[in-house]
Amino acid sequence: MILKAEGTDLESLLAWLSHEEPLNLPIIGDLMRHGLSTDFLEVWVQPDEDGAIVALVRRFFEHYAVYAVPGADLEEIGFFLRFSDPASVAGRSETIDALVEALDGYGREDVQSMVLPGAGRLESEPDAVALAAKGLSIGRAGPDDADALGGLIFATDAFRHNYRAASEVAAGIRSRMRAGGVRHVVVRQDGRIVSHANTTAETAGHALLSGITTAPDAQRQGHAARLVSHLCRELLGEGRIPCLFAKSPGALAMYEKLGFVKTGVYTTLRRPE
């Protein structure tokens, strides 16, 4: 049986998801930002015979995410999803494998879940004076930078399929910045933003990194590694373990060089256009 979660269930849902917090940060971040009282975010749970939650389904607009533990009835969840007609469904690879038949025809994308256990292999913090001599600086971005960030992110193939326009990306960034609870850091070259990384969810113990990208004409200059190291050192200093999802061989190699370790595969099924 699948039941609609109500607003009063929010804290218990967050506590349940925290048992595998790095994996569930995308869902946790959505719930922390929006709660259960919006028309674009809904949550359903599947309890076992004793009433304990064994699976959760989150809808964010047309995009769904599933988290399930042993004992979940994935056949029932697959039936539920098939008739919901989602644009995408994401979750742990083993869970999504059990839903493929119900979502026949959907395309598949696998990414690697990674965490950073410590700062030992991060790049050292660059000297600000030396950077300035090259016209470079590293620091936080603010709401006034949202349009530039939206254009940079929307121009990146890995992120474009999540949005309809650069203005949509910019609007989301501006809204999240004003709401707080996330941070955007950038490399600027002669005042222009050329590299970017942000957190999309932060809890007391973890933070999810995303939006890591560099403008095409500024690549292969070490900006991304320098920026990720800067952000991760900041998070680790606050007691938060950085987490992320990566796909391309180049990105995986960079993150492993910085000390990230693989923790599993996260899969997204996308409805054909």
Side-chain angles (χ1 to χ4, degrees), residues 26 90 104 135 152 170 214 229 241 245 262-263 265 267:
D104 183 46
L152 179 62
T214 300
S229 294
I241 297 173
F245 298 100
K262 298 176 180 177
T263 58
V265 177
T267 295

Side-chain angles (χ1 to χ4, degrees), residues 161-191:
H161 61 251
N162 293 322
Y163 306 100
R164 291 168 292 186
S167 59
E168 180 184 355
V169 186
I173 290 172
R174 194 175 289 110
S175 174
R176 288 189 294 273
M177 283 181 172
R178 289 172 175 163
V182 299
R183 64 192 89 188
H184 292 254
V185 294
V186 297
V187 174
R188 300 178 195 266
Q189 186 166 34
D190 299 323

Side-chain angles (χ1 to χ4, degrees), residues 96-116:
I96 300 302
D97 286 343
L99 303 174
V100 169
E101 185 175 347
L103 298 169
D104 183 46
Y106 277 56
R108 180 186 183 109
E109 177 186 82
D110 292 327
V111 297
Q112 185 69 55
S113 173
M114 308 182 81
V115 301
L116 181 69

Side-chain angles (χ1 to χ4, degrees), residues 78-97:
F79 183 84
F80 173 82
L81 290 170
R82 184 170 69 225
F83 284 93
S84 300
D85 191 31
S88 68
V89 179
R92 188 205 311 270
S93 183
E94 296 88 344
T95 299
I96 300 302
D97 286 343

Side-chain angles (χ1 to χ4, degrees), residues 20-97:
E20 285 193 89
E21 192 164 89
L23 178 72
N24 288 320
L25 281 172
I27 302 175
I28 291 170
D30 287 339
L31 291 176
M32 289 174 63
R33 280 192 297 273
H34 305 294
L36 293 170
S37 301
T38 66
D39 58 359
F40 56 82
L41 191 153
E42 296 178 287
V43 170
W44 295 267
V45 296
Q46 183 186 67
D48 63 13
E49 293 180 354
D50 298 321
I53 298 173
V54 290
L56 178 149
V57 179
R58 180 232 62 198
R59 178 186 73 84
F60 186 73
F61 291 98
E62 293 184 276
H63 302 282
Y64 287 63
V66 179
Y67 175 62
V69 298
D73 183 349
L74 294 176
E75 183 176 354
E76 181 185 43
I77 292 174
F79 183 84
F80 173 82
L81 290 170
R82 184 170 69 225
F83 284 93
S84 300
D85 191 31
S88 68
V89 179
R92 188 205 311 270
S93 183
E94 296 88 344
T95 299
I96 300 302
D97 286 343

